[in-house]
mmCIF file of all heavy atoms in Angstrom:
data_model
loop_
_atom_site.group_PDB
_atom_site.id
_atom_site.type_symbol
_atom_site.label_atom_id
_atom_site.label_comp_id
_atom_site.label_asym_id
_atom_site.label_seq_id
_atom_site.Cartn_x
_atom_site.Cartn_y
_atom_site.Cartn_z
ATOM 1 N N LYS A 380 160.850 -6.061 -119.834
ATOM 2 C CA LYS A 380 160.876 -5.138 -118.692
ATOM 3 C C LYS A 380 160.042 -5.644 -117.512
ATOM 4 O O LYS A 380 160.455 -5.560 -116.362
ATOM 5 C CB LYS A 380 160.328 -3.791 -119.175
ATOM 6 C CG LYS A 380 160.595 -2.656 -118.253
ATOM 7 C CD LYS A 380 160.417 -1.338 -118.968
ATOM 8 C CE LYS A 380 160.423 -0.213 -117.949
ATOM 9 N NZ LYS A 380 159.802 0.978 -118.459
ATOM 10 N N HIS A 381 158.871 -6.188 -117.823
ATOM 11 C CA HIS A 381 157.932 -6.511 -116.732
ATOM 12 C C HIS A 381 157.733 -8.014 -116.529
ATOM 13 O O HIS A 381 156.842 -8.416 -115.785
ATOM 14 C CB HIS A 381 156.562 -5.881 -117.021
ATOM 15 C CG HIS A 381 156.628 -4.392 -117.203
ATOM 16 N ND1 HIS A 381 156.941 -3.539 -116.175
ATOM 17 C CD2 HIS A 381 156.430 -3.608 -118.296
ATOM 18 C CE1 HIS A 381 156.933 -2.287 -116.632
ATOM 19 N NE2 HIS A 381 156.636 -2.310 -117.914
ATOM 20 N N GLY A 382 158.514 -8.825 -117.207
ATOM 21 C CA GLY A 382 158.330 -10.270 -117.066
ATOM 22 C C GLY A 382 156.995 -10.694 -117.650
ATOM 23 O O GLY A 382 156.480 -10.070 -118.573
ATOM 24 N N LYS A 383 156.384 -11.738 -117.060
ATOM 25 C CA LYS A 383 155.139 -12.229 -117.671
ATOM 26 C C LYS A 383 154.013 -11.202 -117.545
ATOM 27 O O LYS A 383 153.090 -11.183 -118.357
ATOM 28 C CB LYS A 383 154.742 -13.590 -117.108
ATOM 29 C CG LYS A 383 154.270 -13.604 -115.698
ATOM 30 C CD LYS A 383 153.743 -14.981 -115.348
ATOM 31 C CE LYS A 383 153.356 -14.999 -113.881
ATOM 32 N NZ LYS A 383 152.796 -16.239 -113.433
ATOM 33 N N ASP A 384 154.113 -10.307 -116.538
ATOM 34 C CA ASP A 384 153.088 -9.260 -116.409
ATOM 35 C C ASP A 384 153.074 -8.342 -117.633
ATOM 36 O O ASP A 384 152.060 -7.705 -117.922
ATOM 37 C CB ASP A 384 153.339 -8.414 -115.158
ATOM 38 C CG ASP A 384 152.970 -9.176 -113.889
ATOM 39 O OD1 ASP A 384 152.397 -10.279 -114.014
ATOM 40 O OD2 ASP A 384 153.272 -8.676 -112.790
ATOM 41 N N GLY A 385 154.213 -8.262 -118.318
ATOM 42 C CA GLY A 385 154.266 -7.457 -119.532
ATOM 43 C C GLY A 385 153.334 -7.992 -120.608
ATOM 44 O O GLY A 385 152.966 -7.271 -121.543
ATOM 45 N N PHE A 386 152.938 -9.252 -120.472
ATOM 46 C CA PHE A 386 152.013 -9.843 -121.446
ATOM 47 C C PHE A 386 150.607 -10.007 -120.877
ATOM 48 O O PHE A 386 149.621 -9.696 -121.539
ATOM 49 C CB PHE A 386 152.547 -11.220 -121.891
ATOM 50 C CG PHE A 386 151.694 -11.890 -122.936
ATOM 51 C CD1 PHE A 386 151.782 -11.522 -124.268
ATOM 52 C CD2 PHE A 386 150.773 -12.871 -122.576
ATOM 53 C CE1 PHE A 386 150.985 -12.135 -125.235
ATOM 54 C CE2 PHE A 386 149.971 -13.483 -123.528
ATOM 55 C CZ PHE A 386 150.077 -13.108 -124.870
ATOM 56 N N TYR A 387 150.520 -10.496 -119.635
ATOM 57 C CA TYR A 387 149.196 -10.838 -119.083
ATOM 58 C C TYR A 387 148.523 -9.652 -118.381
ATOM 59 O O TYR A 387 147.378 -9.736 -117.966
ATOM 60 C CB TYR A 387 149.326 -12.030 -118.121
ATOM 61 C CG TYR A 387 149.724 -13.297 -118.852
ATOM 62 C CD1 TYR A 387 151.051 -13.710 -118.906
ATOM 63 C CD2 TYR A 387 148.771 -14.058 -119.518
ATOM 64 C CE1 TYR A 387 151.418 -14.856 -119.595
ATOM 65 C CE2 TYR A 387 149.127 -15.212 -120.210
ATOM 66 C CZ TYR A 387 150.449 -15.602 -120.241
ATOM 67 O OH TYR A 387 150.801 -16.736 -120.931
ATOM 68 N N LYS A 388 149.292 -8.560 -118.182
ATOM 69 C CA LYS A 388 148.722 -7.339 -117.597
ATOM 70 C C LYS A 388 149.204 -6.153 -118.433
ATOM 71 O O LYS A 388 150.001 -6.347 -119.353
ATOM 72 C CB LYS A 388 149.207 -7.168 -116.150
ATOM 73 C CG LYS A 388 148.698 -8.248 -115.206
ATOM 74 C CD LYS A 388 149.247 -8.033 -113.797
ATOM 75 C CE LYS A 388 148.771 -9.136 -112.874
ATOM 76 N NZ LYS A 388 149.470 -9.091 -111.587
ATOM 77 N N GLY A 389 148.773 -4.942 -118.086
ATOM 78 C CA GLY A 389 149.297 -3.751 -118.758
ATOM 79 C C GLY A 389 148.738 -3.567 -120.166
ATOM 80 O O GLY A 389 147.726 -4.174 -120.527
ATOM 81 N N TRP A 390 149.452 -2.767 -120.956
ATOM 82 C CA TRP A 390 148.881 -2.360 -122.246
ATOM 83 C C TRP A 390 148.746 -3.518 -123.238
ATOM 84 O O TRP A 390 147.832 -3.521 -124.070
ATOM 85 C CB TRP A 390 149.670 -1.182 -122.860
ATOM 86 C CG TRP A 390 151.058 -1.514 -123.351
ATOM 87 C CD1 TRP A 390 152.218 -1.365 -122.663
ATOM 88 C CD2 TRP A 390 151.420 -2.048 -124.638
ATOM 89 N NE1 TRP A 390 153.281 -1.772 -123.425
ATOM 90 C CE2 TRP A 390 152.826 -2.186 -124.652
ATOM 91 C CE3 TRP A 390 150.708 -2.408 -125.780
ATOM 92 C CZ2 TRP A 390 153.529 -2.676 -125.754
ATOM 93 C CZ3 TRP A 390 151.409 -2.902 -126.888
ATOM 94 C CH2 TRP A 390 152.786 -3.029 -126.867
ATOM 95 N N VAL A 391 149.628 -4.521 -123.141
ATOM 96 C CA VAL A 391 149.523 -5.651 -124.085
ATOM 97 C C VAL A 391 148.228 -6.424 -123.796
ATOM 98 O O VAL A 391 147.472 -6.774 -124.717
ATOM 99 C CB VAL A 391 150.765 -6.575 -123.992
ATOM 100 C CG1 VAL A 391 150.597 -7.788 -124.896
ATOM 101 C CG2 VAL A 391 152.032 -5.808 -124.370
ATOM 102 N N ALA A 392 147.953 -6.647 -122.518
ATOM 103 C CA ALA A 392 146.714 -7.351 -122.146
ATOM 104 C C ALA A 392 145.492 -6.520 -122.558
ATOM 105 O O ALA A 392 144.501 -7.067 -123.067
ATOM 106 C CB ALA A 392 146.695 -7.623 -120.645
ATOM 107 N N GLN A 393 145.589 -5.208 -122.357
ATOM 108 C CA GLN A 393 144.475 -4.328 -122.786
ATOM 109 C C GLN A 393 144.207 -4.509 -124.276
ATOM 110 O O GLN A 393 143.062 -4.653 -124.709
ATOM 111 C CB GLN A 393 144.827 -2.838 -122.559
ATOM 112 C CG GLN A 393 145.010 -2.421 -121.123
ATOM 113 C CD GLN A 393 143.672 -2.292 -120.392
ATOM 114 O OE1 GLN A 393 142.627 -2.573 -120.965
ATOM 115 N NE2 GLN A 393 143.723 -1.920 -119.122
ATOM 116 N N ALA A 394 145.289 -4.487 -125.043
ATOM 117 C CA ALA A 394 145.149 -4.610 -126.504
ATOM 118 C C ALA A 394 144.562 -5.970 -126.875
ATOM 119 O O ALA A 394 143.725 -6.081 -127.781
ATOM 120 C CB ALA A 394 146.510 -4.410 -127.169
ATOM 121 N N THR A 395 144.967 -7.011 -126.159
ATOM 122 C CA THR A 395 144.496 -8.367 -126.460
ATOM 123 C C THR A 395 142.996 -8.486 -126.181
ATOM 124 O O THR A 395 142.223 -8.954 -127.033
ATOM 125 C CB THR A 395 145.265 -9.395 -125.592
ATOM 126 O OG1 THR A 395 146.666 -9.202 -125.806
ATOM 127 C CG2 THR A 395 144.888 -10.822 -125.954
ATOM 128 N N VAL A 396 142.606 -8.037 -124.999
ATOM 129 C CA VAL A 396 141.189 -8.157 -124.622
ATOM 130 C C VAL A 396 140.335 -7.252 -125.527
ATOM 131 O O VAL A 396 139.248 -7.643 -125.970
ATOM 132 C CB VAL A 396 141.003 -7.833 -123.120
ATOM 133 C CG1 VAL A 396 139.533 -7.785 -122.746
ATOM 134 C CG2 VAL A 396 141.731 -8.877 -122.273
ATOM 135 N N ALA A 397 140.861 -6.059 -125.830
ATOM 136 C CA ALA A 397 140.094 -5.135 -126.687
ATOM 137 C C ALA A 397 139.871 -5.762 -128.066
ATOM 138 O O ALA A 397 138.761 -5.694 -128.619
ATOM 139 C CB ALA A 397 140.842 -3.813 -126.821
ATOM 140 N N GLN A 398 140.901 -6.406 -128.609
ATOM 141 C CA GLN A 398 140.750 -7.031 -129.930
ATOM 142 C C GLN A 398 139.708 -8.140 -129.878
ATOM 143 O O GLN A 398 138.860 -8.266 -130.764
ATOM 144 C CB GLN A 398 142.117 -7.574 -130.413
ATOM 145 C CG GLN A 398 142.105 -8.263 -131.758
ATOM 146 C CD GLN A 398 141.791 -7.321 -132.912
ATOM 147 O OE1 GLN A 398 140.785 -6.601 -132.873
ATOM 148 N NE2 GLN A 398 142.625 -7.314 -133.931
ATOM 149 N N SER A 399 139.770 -8.939 -128.829
ATOM 150 C CA SER A 399 138.814 -10.038 -128.703
ATOM 151 C C SER A 399 137.387 -9.489 -128.591
ATOM 152 O O SER A 399 136.471 -9.971 -129.273
ATOM 153 C CB SER A 399 139.172 -10.896 -127.475
ATOM 154 O OG SER A 399 138.205 -11.887 -127.288
ATOM 155 N N GLN A 400 137.232 -8.478 -127.741
ATOM 156 C CA GLN A 400 135.874 -7.923 -127.563
ATOM 157 C C GLN A 400 135.348 -7.325 -128.861
ATOM 158 O O GLN A 400 134.186 -7.512 -129.218
ATOM 159 C CB GLN A 400 135.877 -6.867 -126.452
ATOM 160 C CG GLN A 400 135.848 -7.524 -125.082
ATOM 161 C CD GLN A 400 136.065 -6.558 -123.939
ATOM 162 O OE1 GLN A 400 136.367 -5.382 -124.152
ATOM 163 N NE2 GLN A 400 135.929 -7.053 -122.715
ATOM 164 N N LYS A 401 136.222 -6.625 -129.565
ATOM 165 C CA LYS A 401 135.811 -5.997 -130.828
ATOM 166 C C LYS A 401 135.285 -7.046 -131.817
ATOM 167 O O LYS A 401 134.357 -6.807 -132.572
ATOM 168 C CB LYS A 401 137.029 -5.269 -131.425
ATOM 169 C CG LYS A 401 136.684 -4.302 -132.539
ATOM 170 C CD LYS A 401 137.845 -3.386 -132.830
ATOM 171 C CE LYS A 401 138.487 -3.793 -134.135
ATOM 172 N NZ LYS A 401 139.734 -3.094 -134.409
ATOM 173 N N LEU A 402 135.884 -8.231 -131.758
ATOM 174 C CA LEU A 402 135.506 -9.281 -132.713
ATOM 175 C C LEU A 402 134.445 -10.236 -132.145
ATOM 176 O O LEU A 402 134.139 -11.254 -132.754
ATOM 177 C CB LEU A 402 136.760 -10.077 -133.102
ATOM 178 C CG LEU A 402 137.870 -9.271 -133.788
ATOM 179 C CD1 LEU A 402 139.162 -10.057 -133.866
ATOM 180 C CD2 LEU A 402 137.427 -8.831 -135.190
ATOM 181 N N GLY A 403 133.938 -9.923 -130.961
ATOM 182 C CA GLY A 403 132.902 -10.776 -130.363
ATOM 183 C C GLY A 403 133.468 -12.040 -129.746
ATOM 184 O O GLY A 403 132.772 -13.044 -129.588
ATOM 185 N N GLY A 404 134.762 -11.996 -129.371
ATOM 186 C CA GLY A 404 135.406 -13.175 -128.775
ATOM 187 C C GLY A 404 135.207 -13.253 -127.268
ATOM 188 O O GLY A 404 134.506 -12.434 -126.680
ATOM 189 N N MET A 405 135.863 -14.235 -126.652
ATOM 190 C CA MET A 405 135.590 -14.554 -125.251
ATOM 191 C C MET A 405 136.698 -14.159 -124.286
ATOM 192 O O MET A 405 136.529 -14.318 -123.075
ATOM 193 C CB MET A 405 135.394 -16.062 -125.120
ATOM 194 C CG MET A 405 134.150 -16.566 -125.788
ATOM 195 S SD MET A 405 134.118 -18.350 -125.677
ATOM 196 C CE MET A 405 132.418 -18.664 -126.125
ATOM 197 N N LEU A 406 137.850 -13.724 -124.793
ATOM 198 C CA LEU A 406 138.990 -13.483 -123.892
ATOM 199 C C LEU A 406 138.721 -12.325 -122.947
ATOM 200 O O LEU A 406 138.263 -11.258 -123.367
ATOM 201 C CB LEU A 406 140.252 -13.171 -124.700
ATOM 202 C CG LEU A 406 140.874 -14.282 -125.523
ATOM 203 C CD1 LEU A 406 142.132 -13.774 -126.229
ATOM 204 C CD2 LEU A 406 141.211 -15.484 -124.656
ATOM 205 N N THR A 407 139.034 -12.555 -121.665
ATOM 206 C CA THR A 407 138.859 -11.500 -120.655
ATOM 207 C C THR A 407 140.185 -11.302 -119.924
ATOM 208 O O THR A 407 141.095 -12.137 -120.020
ATOM 209 C CB THR A 407 137.811 -11.924 -119.605
ATOM 210 O OG1 THR A 407 138.304 -13.112 -118.959
ATOM 211 C CG2 THR A 407 136.451 -12.196 -120.227
ATOM 212 N N HIS A 408 140.232 -10.235 -119.124
ATOM 213 C CA HIS A 408 141.440 -10.024 -118.310
ATOM 214 C C HIS A 408 141.626 -11.159 -117.319
ATOM 215 O O HIS A 408 142.747 -11.563 -117.029
ATOM 216 C CB HIS A 408 141.359 -8.668 -117.593
ATOM 217 C CG HIS A 408 141.659 -7.536 -118.523
ATOM 218 N ND1 HIS A 408 142.930 -7.288 -118.991
ATOM 219 C CD2 HIS A 408 140.849 -6.616 -119.110
ATOM 220 C CE1 HIS A 408 142.904 -6.248 -119.824
ATOM 221 N NE2 HIS A 408 141.645 -5.829 -119.919
ATOM 222 N N LYS A 409 140.517 -11.695 -116.831
ATOM 223 C CA LYS A 409 140.629 -12.799 -115.868
ATOM 224 C C LYS A 409 141.273 -14.036 -116.530
ATOM 225 O O LYS A 409 142.084 -14.727 -115.919
ATOM 226 C CB LYS A 409 139.238 -13.143 -115.333
ATOM 227 C CG LYS A 409 139.298 -14.136 -114.199
ATOM 228 C CD LYS A 409 137.984 -14.229 -113.449
ATOM 229 C CE LYS A 409 138.048 -15.436 -112.509
ATOM 230 N NZ LYS A 409 137.062 -16.433 -112.775
ATOM 231 N N ASP A 410 140.908 -14.286 -117.793
ATOM 232 C CA ASP A 410 141.544 -15.397 -118.510
ATOM 233 C C ASP A 410 143.061 -15.227 -118.518
ATOM 234 O O ASP A 410 143.811 -16.187 -118.331
ATOM 235 C CB ASP A 410 141.069 -15.437 -119.976
ATOM 236 C CG ASP A 410 139.679 -16.033 -120.124
ATOM 237 O OD1 ASP A 410 139.396 -17.031 -119.457
ATOM 238 O OD2 ASP A 410 138.887 -15.488 -120.920
ATOM 239 N N LEU A 411 143.492 -13.994 -118.768
ATOM 240 C CA LEU A 411 144.934 -13.746 -118.896
ATOM 241 C C LEU A 411 145.634 -13.796 -117.540
ATOM 242 O O LEU A 411 146.643 -14.486 -117.372
ATOM 243 C CB LEU A 411 145.183 -12.393 -119.565
ATOM 244 C CG LEU A 411 144.706 -12.275 -121.022
ATOM 245 C CD1 LEU A 411 144.865 -10.847 -121.533
ATOM 246 C CD2 LEU A 411 145.491 -13.217 -121.940
ATOM 247 N N THR A 412 145.089 -13.066 -116.555
ATOM 248 C CA THR A 412 145.817 -12.965 -115.277
ATOM 249 C C THR A 412 145.798 -14.282 -114.508
ATOM 250 O O THR A 412 146.667 -14.528 -113.687
ATOM 251 C CB THR A 412 145.230 -11.850 -114.383
ATOM 252 O OG1 THR A 412 143.822 -12.071 -114.292
ATOM 253 C CG2 THR A 412 145.499 -10.479 -114.945
ATOM 254 N N SER A 413 144.814 -15.133 -114.776
ATOM 255 C CA SER A 413 144.748 -16.376 -113.990
ATOM 256 C C SER A 413 145.389 -17.565 -114.714
ATOM 257 O O SER A 413 145.331 -18.682 -114.214
ATOM 258 C CB SER A 413 143.303 -16.694 -113.624
ATOM 259 O OG SER A 413 142.568 -16.936 -114.801
ATOM 260 N N TYR A 414 146.000 -17.310 -115.882
ATOM 261 C CA TYR A 414 146.634 -18.430 -116.599
ATOM 262 C C TYR A 414 147.706 -19.075 -115.703
ATOM 263 O O TYR A 414 148.521 -18.389 -115.097
ATOM 264 C CB TYR A 414 147.287 -17.982 -117.921
ATOM 265 C CG TYR A 414 147.909 -19.188 -118.590
ATOM 266 C CD1 TYR A 414 147.147 -20.023 -119.393
ATOM 267 C CD2 TYR A 414 149.229 -19.557 -118.308
ATOM 268 C CE1 TYR A 414 147.682 -21.195 -119.929
ATOM 269 C CE2 TYR A 414 149.771 -20.716 -118.834
ATOM 270 C CZ TYR A 414 148.988 -21.527 -119.639
ATOM 271 O OH TYR A 414 149.524 -22.685 -120.151
ATOM 272 N N GLU A 415 147.704 -20.394 -115.642
ATOM 273 C CA GLU A 415 148.683 -21.090 -114.796
ATOM 274 C C GLU A 415 149.490 -22.115 -115.588
ATOM 275 O O GLU A 415 148.923 -22.915 -116.334
ATOM 276 C CB GLU A 415 147.960 -21.861 -113.682
ATOM 277 C CG GLU A 415 147.588 -20.995 -112.520
ATOM 278 C CD GLU A 415 146.849 -21.773 -111.438
ATOM 279 O OE1 GLU A 415 146.453 -22.933 -111.686
ATOM 280 O OE2 GLU A 415 146.673 -21.205 -110.357
ATOM 281 N N VAL A 416 150.796 -22.069 -115.370
ATOM 282 C CA VAL A 416 151.685 -23.089 -115.939
ATOM 283 C C VAL A 416 151.561 -24.330 -115.049
ATOM 284 O O VAL A 416 151.387 -24.203 -113.839
ATOM 285 C CB VAL A 416 153.144 -22.571 -115.900
ATOM 286 C CG1 VAL A 416 154.130 -23.622 -116.397
ATOM 287 C CG2 VAL A 416 153.266 -21.284 -116.694
ATOM 288 N N GLN A 417 151.639 -25.510 -115.624
ATOM 289 C CA GLN A 417 151.601 -26.734 -114.812
ATOM 290 C C GLN A 417 152.931 -27.473 -114.930
ATOM 291 O O GLN A 417 153.416 -27.711 -116.032
ATOM 292 C CB GLN A 417 150.459 -27.664 -115.273
ATOM 293 C CG GLN A 417 149.074 -27.064 -115.150
ATOM 294 C CD GLN A 417 148.656 -26.792 -113.701
ATOM 295 O OE1 GLN A 417 149.258 -27.295 -112.762
ATOM 296 N NE2 GLN A 417 147.631 -25.976 -113.536
ATOM 297 N N TRP A 418 153.492 -27.802 -113.780
ATOM 298 C CA TRP A 418 154.733 -28.602 -113.746
ATOM 299 C C TRP A 418 154.316 -30.043 -113.519
ATOM 300 O O TRP A 418 153.785 -30.386 -112.464
ATOM 301 C CB TRP A 418 155.658 -28.092 -112.637
ATOM 302 C CG TRP A 418 156.202 -26.738 -112.984
ATOM 303 C CD1 TRP A 418 155.518 -25.551 -112.971
ATOM 304 C CD2 TRP A 418 157.516 -26.433 -113.455
ATOM 305 N NE1 TRP A 418 156.324 -24.516 -113.398
ATOM 306 C CE2 TRP A 418 157.562 -25.034 -113.693
ATOM 307 C CE3 TRP A 418 158.667 -27.192 -113.695
ATOM 308 C CZ2 TRP A 418 158.711 -24.398 -114.165
ATOM 309 C CZ3 TRP A 418 159.812 -26.544 -114.153
ATOM 310 C CH2 TRP A 418 159.828 -25.173 -114.389
ATOM 311 N N ARG A 419 154.535 -30.876 -114.525
ATOM 312 C CA ARG A 419 154.006 -32.234 -114.474
ATOM 313 C C ARG A 419 155.139 -33.267 -114.424
ATOM 314 O O ARG A 419 156.293 -32.951 -114.717
ATOM 315 C CB ARG A 419 153.124 -32.493 -115.704
ATOM 316 C CG ARG A 419 151.976 -31.478 -115.828
ATOM 317 C CD ARG A 419 150.980 -31.868 -116.885
ATOM 318 N NE ARG A 419 149.984 -30.836 -117.104
ATOM 319 C CZ ARG A 419 148.864 -30.683 -116.407
ATOM 320 N NH1 ARG A 419 148.589 -31.497 -115.408
ATOM 321 N NH2 ARG A 419 148.004 -29.708 -116.685
ATOM 322 N N THR A 420 154.750 -34.469 -114.086
ATOM 323 C CA THR A 420 155.727 -35.560 -114.063
ATOM 324 C C THR A 420 155.765 -36.190 -115.457
ATOM 325 O O THR A 420 154.715 -36.550 -116.002
ATOM 326 C CB THR A 420 155.282 -36.643 -113.049
ATOM 327 O OG1 THR A 420 155.042 -35.972 -111.818
ATOM 328 C CG2 THR A 420 156.333 -37.710 -112.874
ATOM 329 N N PRO A 421 156.949 -36.311 -116.042
ATOM 330 C CA PRO A 421 156.999 -36.889 -117.394
ATOM 331 C C PRO A 421 156.451 -38.315 -117.431
ATOM 332 O O PRO A 421 156.556 -39.045 -116.451
ATOM 333 C CB PRO A 421 158.493 -36.904 -117.729
ATOM 334 C CG PRO A 421 159.131 -35.953 -116.773
ATOM 335 C CD PRO A 421 158.283 -35.926 -115.544
ATOM 336 N N VAL A 422 155.879 -38.689 -118.570
ATOM 337 C CA VAL A 422 155.546 -40.102 -118.814
ATOM 338 C C VAL A 422 156.879 -40.842 -118.929
ATOM 339 O O VAL A 422 157.809 -40.358 -119.579
ATOM 340 C CB VAL A 422 154.782 -40.258 -120.153
ATOM 341 C CG1 VAL A 422 154.692 -41.718 -120.567
ATOM 342 C CG2 VAL A 422 153.401 -39.643 -120.045
ATOM 343 N N LYS A 423 156.962 -41.985 -118.290
ATOM 344 C CA LYS A 423 158.241 -42.703 -118.270
ATOM 345 C C LYS A 423 158.030 -44.103 -118.814
ATOM 346 O O LYS A 423 157.044 -44.764 -118.464
ATOM 347 C CB LYS A 423 158.684 -42.795 -116.812
ATOM 348 C CG LYS A 423 160.139 -42.958 -116.597
ATOM 349 C CD LYS A 423 160.410 -42.758 -115.110
ATOM 350 C CE LYS A 423 161.859 -43.027 -114.793
ATOM 351 N NZ LYS A 423 162.154 -42.811 -113.396
ATOM 352 N N GLY A 424 158.899 -44.571 -119.670
ATOM 353 C CA GLY A 424 158.789 -45.951 -120.163
ATOM 354 C C GLY A 424 160.177 -46.523 -120.387
ATOM 355 O O GLY A 424 161.089 -45.806 -120.810
ATOM 356 N N GLN A 425 160.343 -47.802 -120.078
ATOM 357 C CA GLN A 425 161.629 -48.454 -120.342
ATOM 358 C C GLN A 425 161.535 -49.129 -121.709
ATOM 359 O O GLN A 425 160.560 -49.816 -121.994
ATOM 360 C CB GLN A 425 161.917 -49.524 -119.282
ATOM 361 C CG GLN A 425 162.131 -48.969 -117.876
ATOM 362 C CD GLN A 425 163.302 -47.992 -117.789
ATOM 363 O OE1 GLN A 425 164.342 -48.178 -118.420
ATOM 364 N NE2 GLN A 425 163.121 -46.920 -117.026
ATOM 365 N N PHE A 426 162.510 -48.882 -122.540
ATOM 366 C CA PHE A 426 162.518 -49.529 -123.856
ATOM 367 C C PHE A 426 163.951 -49.929 -124.187
ATOM 368 O O PHE A 426 164.830 -49.072 -124.229
ATOM 369 C CB PHE A 426 161.959 -48.568 -124.923
ATOM 370 C CG PHE A 426 161.825 -49.186 -126.281
ATOM 371 C CD1 PHE A 426 160.838 -50.127 -126.541
ATOM 372 C CD2 PHE A 426 162.705 -48.840 -127.296
ATOM 373 C CE1 PHE A 426 160.720 -50.709 -127.800
ATOM 374 C CE2 PHE A 426 162.595 -49.410 -128.557
ATOM 375 C CZ PHE A 426 161.602 -50.354 -128.797
ATOM 376 N N GLU A 427 164.161 -51.213 -124.381
ATOM 377 C CA GLU A 427 165.503 -51.734 -124.698
ATOM 378 C C GLU A 427 166.544 -51.190 -123.713
ATOM 379 O O GLU A 427 167.614 -50.731 -124.110
ATOM 380 C CB GLU A 427 165.890 -51.360 -126.142
ATOM 381 C CG GLU A 427 164.945 -51.873 -127.200
ATOM 382 C CD GLU A 427 165.078 -53.377 -127.464
ATOM 383 O OE1 GLU A 427 166.114 -53.947 -127.131
ATOM 384 O OE2 GLU A 427 164.111 -53.963 -127.992
ATOM 385 N N GLY A 428 166.191 -51.195 -122.451
ATOM 386 C CA GLY A 428 167.154 -50.796 -121.412
ATOM 387 C C GLY A 428 167.331 -49.301 -121.272
ATOM 388 O O GLY A 428 168.202 -48.846 -120.525
ATOM 389 N N GLN A 429 166.548 -48.532 -122.002
ATOM 390 C CA GLN A 429 166.687 -47.082 -121.897
ATOM 391 C C GLN A 429 165.411 -46.447 -121.357
ATOM 392 O O GLN A 429 164.330 -47.010 -121.503
ATOM 393 C CB GLN A 429 167.036 -46.511 -123.262
ATOM 394 C CG GLN A 429 168.460 -46.919 -123.574
ATOM 395 C CD GLN A 429 168.793 -46.905 -125.022
ATOM 396 O OE1 GLN A 429 168.864 -45.853 -125.590
ATOM 397 N NE2 GLN A 429 169.009 -48.073 -125.580
ATOM 398 N N THR A 430 165.582 -45.293 -120.758
ATOM 399 C CA THR A 430 164.417 -44.639 -120.167
ATOM 400 C C THR A 430 163.901 -43.567 -121.117
ATOM 401 O O THR A 430 164.634 -42.637 -121.472
ATOM 402 C CB THR A 430 164.810 -43.990 -118.817
ATOM 403 O OG1 THR A 430 165.415 -45.000 -118.010
ATOM 404 C CG2 THR A 430 163.598 -43.413 -118.111
ATOM 405 N N ILE A 431 162.650 -43.725 -121.521
ATOM 406 C CA ILE A 431 162.026 -42.727 -122.398
ATOM 407 C C ILE A 431 161.225 -41.791 -121.490
ATOM 408 O O ILE A 431 160.405 -42.249 -120.685
ATOM 409 C CB ILE A 431 161.033 -43.384 -123.379
ATOM 410 C CG1 ILE A 431 161.619 -44.651 -123.987
ATOM 411 C CG2 ILE A 431 160.491 -42.399 -124.404
ATOM 412 C CD1 ILE A 431 162.259 -44.563 -125.284
ATOM 413 N N LEU A 432 161.436 -40.504 -121.641
ATOM 414 C CA LEU A 432 160.664 -39.508 -120.885
ATOM 415 C C LEU A 432 159.928 -38.644 -121.890
ATOM 416 O O LEU A 432 160.546 -38.130 -122.826
ATOM 417 C CB LEU A 432 161.600 -38.622 -120.066
ATOM 418 C CG LEU A 432 162.474 -39.324 -119.027
ATOM 419 C CD1 LEU A 432 163.522 -38.361 -118.499
ATOM 420 C CD2 LEU A 432 161.609 -39.846 -117.885
ATOM 421 N N SER A 433 158.616 -38.501 -121.699
ATOM 422 C CA SER A 433 157.894 -37.685 -122.669
ATOM 423 C C SER A 433 156.724 -36.983 -121.993
ATOM 424 O O SER A 433 156.538 -37.076 -120.783
ATOM 425 C CB SER A 433 157.468 -38.548 -123.859
ATOM 426 O OG SER A 433 157.022 -37.743 -124.921
#
Side-chain angles (χ1 to χ4, degrees):
K380 195 163 169 201
H381 303 293
K383 70 173 176 178
D384 286 352
F386 182 79
Y387 293 97
K388 294 179 182 170
W390 70 265
V391 176
Q393 295 285 3
T395 305
V396 173
Q398 179 66 308
S399 175
Q400 280 171 353
K401 194 166 106 188
L402 299 168
M405 292 175 166
L406 291 181
T407 61
H408 283 288
K409 188 166 169 241
D410 283 318
L411 295 174
T412 52
S413 64
Y414 180 85
E415 278 179 349
V416 176
Q417 299 295 344
W418 291 73
R419 303 190 187 275
T420 307
V422 168
K423 204 169 175 178
Q425 294 300 321
F426 185 72
E427 301 285 340
Q429 289 158 69
T430 306
I431 316 264
L432 300 169
S433 192

